[in-house]
């Protein structure tokens, strides 16, 4: 594949020294507003995410990847999100092998020919018509919400292949080198500002059919990870960003409270009974939702390692625990801001960033009320809507 150049560094993601150093750097640079103000994660940070193994984490070993478990990957994203929510969100798309694995193996071998550290970004909706020719599909259109596209090596866009006016099957993704895509910097939001989820524009790019795949199609790869429900995993890697942000808010408040007094001369925040009560309640709700989130991951992964299929109920638990955890995380971030007092309302205050970032996670379609409706329906023996499982 022309134009791709991969790093291929072999550090393991569990190298705590490298990860801790990177998280500290991310935290310091995020506080300055660097990522938010420019509207994307700086490319040197993307390179460092490659070096600690974010983008090879889930790649099969035969392509040079690490084949970590779903829990291990989510724990990594949680830690990065504690440093900065936008960095965690962009890093979460290191789950891209779950999507790309629907491509033919020969295409995957070409993608990973220079090493497994390939950064993928995509814009799926709305799928745009693509003209089918003998040489492949001619792709044109605009797509929104392409998180991390500024640092991507390859980009996928949603297409509806047509011959004349006749629609040909379900929406696909067409994958191409990033240099064949124009990025329009449209991302201007209240939270997760540094994710760089800008618009993609493609003009008359020819994509061979073996560089396209049907969205949602099961992978034929034999590794256990590719038996893990991909839609649920796509939800989990975003949810855990909110978990990381809420964890950071709790930690930041624990450092703030013992030394902050009221401007009216009252007791330090940590000495106030109402603060102690509210903090304990928020922390309990957070830890309970986080435990259920990871428990649902472990239950399904254990079933897959045994060579079995997860039940619809287990998959629903993954979806429901994700939506619940994301909403609890946003609630906890807001509670910490309230307890921190008036200084926490300023735009550049760290608690304001926690609140805005955690709230944006809940806005994603994966975290919508449809999850609650479908999970509730299944509780009463009613089939969920298509696509939920």
């Amino acid at each position: 594949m022309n134009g791709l150049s991969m790093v291929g560094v072999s550090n393991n993601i569990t190298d705590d020294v490298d990860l801790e150093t990177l998280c500290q750097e991310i935290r310091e640079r995020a506080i300055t507003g660097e990522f938010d103000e420019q509207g994307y994660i700086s490319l040197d940070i993307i390179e460092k995410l490659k070096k600690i193994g974010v983008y090879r984490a889930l790649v099969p070993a035969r392509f040079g990847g690490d084949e970590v478990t779903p829990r291990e990957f989510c724990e990594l994203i949680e830690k990065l999100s504690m440093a900065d929510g936008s960095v965690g969100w962009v890093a979460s798309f290191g789950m891209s092998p779950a999507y790309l694995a629907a491509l033919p193996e020969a295409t995957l071998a070409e993608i990973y020919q220079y090493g497994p550290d390939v950064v993928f970004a995509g814009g799926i909706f709305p799928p745009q018509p693509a003209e089918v020719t003998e040489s492949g599909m001619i792709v044109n259109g605009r797509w929104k919400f392409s998180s991390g596209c500024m640092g991507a090596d390859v980009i996928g866009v949603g297409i509806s292949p047509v011959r004349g006016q006749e629609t040909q099957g379900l929406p696909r993704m067409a994958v191409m080198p990033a240099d064949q895509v124009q990025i329009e910097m449209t991302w201007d939001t209240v939270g997760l500002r540094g994710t760089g989820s800008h618009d993609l524009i493609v003009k008359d790019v020819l994509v061979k059919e073996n560089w396209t795949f049907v969205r949602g199609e099961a992978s034929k790869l034999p590794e256990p990870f590719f038996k893990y429900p991909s839609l649920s995993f796509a939800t989990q890697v975003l949810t855990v960003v909110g978990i990381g942000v809420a964890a950071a808010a709790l930690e930041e408040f624990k450092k703030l409270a013992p030394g902050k007094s009221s401007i009216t001369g009252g007791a330090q925040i940590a000495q106030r009974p109402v603060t102690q009560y509210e903090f304990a309640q928020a922390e309990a709700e957070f830890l309970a939702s986080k435990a259920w989130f990871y428990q649902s991951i472990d239950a399904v992964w254990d079933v897959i390692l045994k060579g079995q299929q997860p039940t619809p109920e287990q998959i629903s638990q993954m979806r429901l625990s994700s939506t619940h955890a994301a909403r609890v995380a946003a609630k906890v971030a807001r509670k910490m801001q309230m307890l921190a007092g008036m200084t926490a309302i300023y735009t550049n205050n760290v608690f304001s960033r926690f609140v805005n970032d955690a709230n944006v996670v809940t806005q994603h379609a994966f975290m919508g009320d449809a999850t609650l409706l479908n999970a509730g329906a299944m509780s009463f023996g009613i089939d969920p809507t298509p696509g939920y499982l």
Side-chain angles (χ1 to χ4, degrees):
M1 190 168 180
N2 294 332
L4 290 183
S5 177
M6 307 306 161
V7 176
V9 182
S10 61
N11 299 39
N12 190 280
I13 68 167
T14 58
D15 187 334
D16 290 334
V17 175
D18 287 345
L19 181 56
E20 291 293 344
T21 301
L22 177 57
C23 284
Q24 183 59 34
E25 179 184 355
I26 290 169
R27 191 174 296 109
E28 292 170 355
R29 292 170 65 172
I31 289 172
T32 70
E34 174 185 341
F35 310 139
D36 288 359
E37 290 172 10
Q38 67 189 14
Y40 62 92
I41 303 304
S42 303
L43 299 188
D44 69 302
I45 294 294
I46 299 297
E47 288 300 316
K48 290 173 183 178
L49 292 176
K50 288 182 180 182
K51 290 179 180 179
I52 65 166
V54 168
Y55 298 103
R56 83 172 70 94
L58 298 164
V59 175
R62 55 203 166 97
F63 295 125
D66 290 338
E67 290 190 24
V68 307
T69 68
R71 171 187 266 270
E72 288 171 330
F73 185 77
C74 284
E75 288 174 337
L76 173 62
I77 300 306
E78 179 185 350
K79 191 154 193 174
L80 290 167
S81 300
M82 288 183 69
D84 179 62
S86 290
V87 171
W89 187 272
V90 169
S92 77
F93 290 93
M95 60 77 63
S96 61
Y99 291 133
L100 296 176
L103 289 166
E105 287 200 45
T107 305
L108 290 175
E110 196 170 348
I111 288 176
Y112 297 123
Q113 64 180 308
Y114 299 113
D117 299 303
V118 178
V119 182
F120 174 81
I124 303 176
F125 296 107
Q128 301 293 325
E131 180 185 352
V132 178
T133 70
E134 291 184 357
S135 301
M137 302 178 191
I138 300 176
V139 179
N140 286 279
R142 175 190 287 266
W143 297 261
K144 301 187 74 64
F145 305 127
S146 183
S147 299
C149 58
M150 298 291 287
D153 300 308
V154 291
I155 287 177
V157 295
I159 60 171
S160 297
V162 297
R163 194 180 303 276
Q165 296 300 314
E166 182 183 0
T167 300
Q168 303 292 314
L170 297 171
R172 289 177 173 260
M173 288 200 80
V175 180
M176 62 197 75
D179 60 10
Q180 294 185 350
V181 180
Q182 177 185 341
I183 297 171
E184 187 171 321
M185 297 184 67
T186 56
W187 188 245
D188 183 13
T189 57
V190 297
L192 295 179
R193 294 174 58 85
T195 62
S197 305
H198 302 298
D199 286 11
L200 304 175
I201 300 173
V202 175
K203 296 180 180 179
D204 295 324
V205 173
L206 177 65
V207 180
K208 294 181 180 179
E209 187 170 355
N210 63 338
W211 283 85
T212 73
F213 60 91
V214 176
R215 184 181 181 270
E217 185 176 63
S219 171
K220 299 179 178 63
L221 298 183
E223 288 83 1
F225 171 69
F226 301 107
K227 307 297 187 295
Y228 193 83
S230 60
L231 183 59
S232 295
F233 190 59
T235 305
Q236 289 166 338
V237 300
L238 301 182
T239 295
V240 82
V241 173
I243 290 175
V245 170
L250 289 166
E251 288 301 313
E252 189 69 23
F253 187 78
K254 283 195 286 188
K255 290 188 292 185
L256 170 76
K260 183 174 182 181
S261 300
S262 168
I263 58 174
T264 62
Q268 291 181 348
I269 296 177
Q271 296 294 328
R272 301 173 190 172
V274 66
T275 302
Q276 297 163 359
Y277 176 89
E278 294 281 4
F279 183 87
Q281 185 178 56
E283 188 172 43
E285 291 179 5
F286 170 74
L287 292 174
S289 67
K290 176 179 171 179
W292 182 26
F293 171 81
Y294 279 111
Q295 182 185 55
S296 72
I297 293 176
D298 293 339
V300 169
W301 186 243
D302 184 59
V303 166
I304 289 171
L305 291 182
K306 292 176 180 175
Q308 301 169 359
Q309 291 282 341
T311 66
E313 290 73 23
Q314 288 174 319
I315 297 174
S316 181
Q317 287 282 298
M318 289 198 293
R319 295 298 306 275
L320 183 58
S321 65
S322 291
T323 294
H324 177 67
R327 295 182 177 195
V328 169
K331 177 182 175 183
V332 166
R334 174 62 179 137
K335 178 62 70 175
M336 294 306 103
Q337 184 191 42
M338 290 178 65
L339 293 176
M342 281 296 291
T343 56
I345 69 172
Y346 286 95
T347 302
N348 63 353
N349 186 275
V350 66
F351 287 101
S352 291
R353 193 170 80 250
F354 292 149
V355 169
N356 290 336
D357 287 352
N359 275 326
V360 169
V361 175
T362 69
Q363 294 290 106
H364 195 280
F366 285 158
M367 316 304 171
D369 287 344
T371 302
L372 304 179
L373 294 173
N374 281 306
M378 289 183 63
S379 296
F380 302 125
I382 302 170
D383 289 339
T385 57
Y388 175 66
L389 300 177

